[in-house]
């Protein structure tokens, strides 16, 4: 994804430092969003309007973030493989979609870890 954005010559996110930051942020999101600790027993027993436990919301947030970042990554990689010209608006849309997905993963990981330490 970083190569797609760098190829677009979008000055805000096209520098080497910005790409390194994106890689670190994405790796953090992937680790925190994928490696969720198990929900405490108290939360597993509480139901959220009959739809399941509150831990399900954390897992849904993590899964949605993982799915969004994967879709954006596939979009970026396919444009590189097809040698498509990356335009600044498209690169910004890819970046924002990826940032939203990675942020969702990080938020899910933080909430899950906070809940695990509280119980």
């Amino acid at each position: 994804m970083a190569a797609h954005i760098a190829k677009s010559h979008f000055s805000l996110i096209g520098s080497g430092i910005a790409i390194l930051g994106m890689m670190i942020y994405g790796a953090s999101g992937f680790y925190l969003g994928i490696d969720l600790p198990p929900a405490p027993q108290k939360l597993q027993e509480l139901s959220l309007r009959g739809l399941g436990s509150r831990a399900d919301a954390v897992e849904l947030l993590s899964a949605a973030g993982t799915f969004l970042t994967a879709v954006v990554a596939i979009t970026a990689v396919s444009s590189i493989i097809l040698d498509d010209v990356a335009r600044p608006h498209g690169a910004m849309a890819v970046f924002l979609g990826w940032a939203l997905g990675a942020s969702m993963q990080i938020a899910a990981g933080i909430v899950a870890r906070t809940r695990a330490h509280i119980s």
Side-chain angles (χ1 to χ4, degrees):
M1 195 206 55
H4 172 76
I5 291 173
K7 194 175 175 183
S8 72
H9 303 295
F10 190 63
S11 62
L12 178 64
I13 51 179
S15 71
I17 299 295
I19 291 172
L20 179 63
M22 289 170 55
M23 290 169 46
I24 291 171
Y25 191 76
S28 301
F30 184 75
Y31 172 73
L32 291 173
I34 298 296
D35 187 32
L36 295 176
Q41 189 63 29
K42 282 192 310 188
L43 286 178
Q44 290 178 352
E45 294 171 359
L46 295 175
S47 96
L48 182 66
R49 295 184 188 167
L51 298 175
S53 70
R54 295 172 118 192
D56 291 338
V58 172
E59 292 170 1
L60 181 63
L61 185 64
S62 173
T66 302
F67 179 75
L68 183 59
T69 54
V71 167
V72 170
I74 288 172
T75 303
V77 168
S78 66
S79 73
I80 291 170
I81 290 172
L82 296 173
D83 200 26
D84 190 22
V85 176
R87 293 181 174 77
H89 292 298
M92 190 61 164
V94 165
F95 172 72
L96 291 176
W98 171 84
L100 177 64
S103 297
M104 290 167 67
Q105 289 177 319
I106 289 172
I110 290 171
V111 169
R113 283 165 177 74
T114 303
R115 288 181 180 170
H117 289 299
I118 289 175
S119 63

